[in-house]
Structures are given as structure tokens and as C-alpha cells.
Amino acid sequence: MMRNASPLPLAVLQIFEEVSSEFPGAAEVTHEPGEGGLTLVHLAPARNSAAPISAAVEPDGSRVYLSIGRTTPLEIDGEGGSFTDLSSLDEIREIIRQVVQGNFEETVWSKGDTIVKAIGILTLKGQRVRIRFESLEGGPLTWIRQAFTATRKEQHRYTSYA
């Protein structure tokens, strides 16, 4: 079944560029095609203490997947309203703007080089939104090996881009 192309990938790129332009020289926006027709957009801050943001946009506009900081994932429905009462584009704009302004923190648990869990806290419309990630990669043998590997916990309180 062929999916219909959507204007959403271009609109998401424009939002990244719009928010980045509010802080001249503080970040670089790049984009590239991804697997399965996804459009990938990245916002890389000049400051190491600020959280990077990436988006993967479905070609039909049904979903936008954001990754913030080290690993915090968000899935935004093409209709919006996933985390706020805003449309999808306004919700994406608000999320990116809040991260760029430094209103994001994350706690990451790692075993060796593998991130096994993360909890991100994003402030949206005055409310703290908690986003949880747990890795299920590797299967039972990996889980058994990881049970004997020390867990490292890191807390990141990201700064603004400017």
C-alpha cells in the first residue's frame, strides 16, 4: 500500500530552523533522508551542556519521533495532542522551544556502553512532563549478562542554547 506524501516533514524542518534562528549561532540544523522514507532532522547545540534534539518524521505525517538529550524519546501523533492540547506542529514547536530554553533534564542508567533506562522531565505549558524509556534489546542472555554488570546513573540538567 502506497502512503501519501505529507507536508509534515518539511514543516518540522522549518520549525527546527525557526526555533534555532531565535538563538543565532547557538545551534546547527541538519536534515537527511532516513530508512523507510523517514525524514531525519537534527538540532545540534554549540554548547555541550545543552540537549541535542532529533526528529524522525513519517512520510505520511502520521507520527513524529523526537529524541532529546542522550536518549529520551517522544512520539507525537500527526494530529497533535500527545503531550499538550496543541496541534502536532505547535506541540513540536513548543517542545523544541522548551528544550532550547533549557527546560529539560534527564536521568540515564547505563550498563557498560548500553543505556538501559532513562527518565526525561520536560516543562510544557508550566507542567512537568515525565517521559520514561526502558531498553528491551538483547534478549534473555544479554539481560543475564547485564544483571552482573554495574549500573551507572547519570543526571543531566541541560542548559539553554544561548
Side-chain angles (χ1 to χ4, degrees):
M1 185 165 112
M2 185 87 163
R3 295 186 196 182
N4 294 329
S6 165
L8 191 61
L10 178 59
V12 170
L13 173 60
Q14 289 170 337
I15 289 170
F16 271 66
E17 290 173 340
E18 169 193 320
V19 173
S20 176
S21 73
E22 295 171 10
F23 302 89
E28 179 183 8
V29 177
T30 59
H31 65 95
E32 60 190 314
E35 290 182 27
L38 292 171
T39 298
L40 307 177
V41 184
H42 310 284
L43 185 60
R47 289 183 174 181
N48 289 336
S49 58
I53 309 167
S54 294
V57 187
E58 290 284 354
D60 65 357
S62 61
R63 297 254 184 279
V64 176
Y65 307 97
L66 294 177
S67 177
I68 304 172
R70 293 265 326 269
T71 193
T72 299
L74 288 87
E75 182 176 327
I76 298 171
D77 185 87
E79 300 299 314
S82 298
F83 296 94
T84 67
D85 58 356
L86 300 171
S87 71
S88 64
L89 292 176
D90 288 338
E91 187 166 71
I92 293 164
R93 181 180 290 108
E94 181 65 15
I95 289 168
I96 294 169
R97 186 167 280 129
Q98 291 305 315
V99 172
V100 167
Q101 291 175 354
N103 294 318
F104 176 68
E105 60 189 72
E106 144 183 84
T107 304
V108 177
W109 289 264
S110 303
K111 289 190 178 225
D113 292 335
T114 303
I115 294 173
V116 294
K117 179 179 170 182
I119 297 175
I121 298 178
L122 178 64
T123 302
L124 287 174
K125 299 183 81 175
Q127 301 292 317
R128 291 171 55 88
V129 177
R130 185 178 170 167
I131 303 121
R132 185 179 178 103
F133 163 80
E134 289 194 54
S135 175
L136 299 175
E137 290 183 13
L141 290 178
T142 301
W143 301 334
I144 290 169
R145 275 189 229 113
Q146 286 181 346
F148 297 102
T149 305
T151 302
R152 185 177 69 246
K153 179 181 175 182
E154 299 174 17
Q155 291 189 284
H156 302 276
R157 286 185 173 77
Y158 295 102
T159 62
S160 73
Y161 279 39

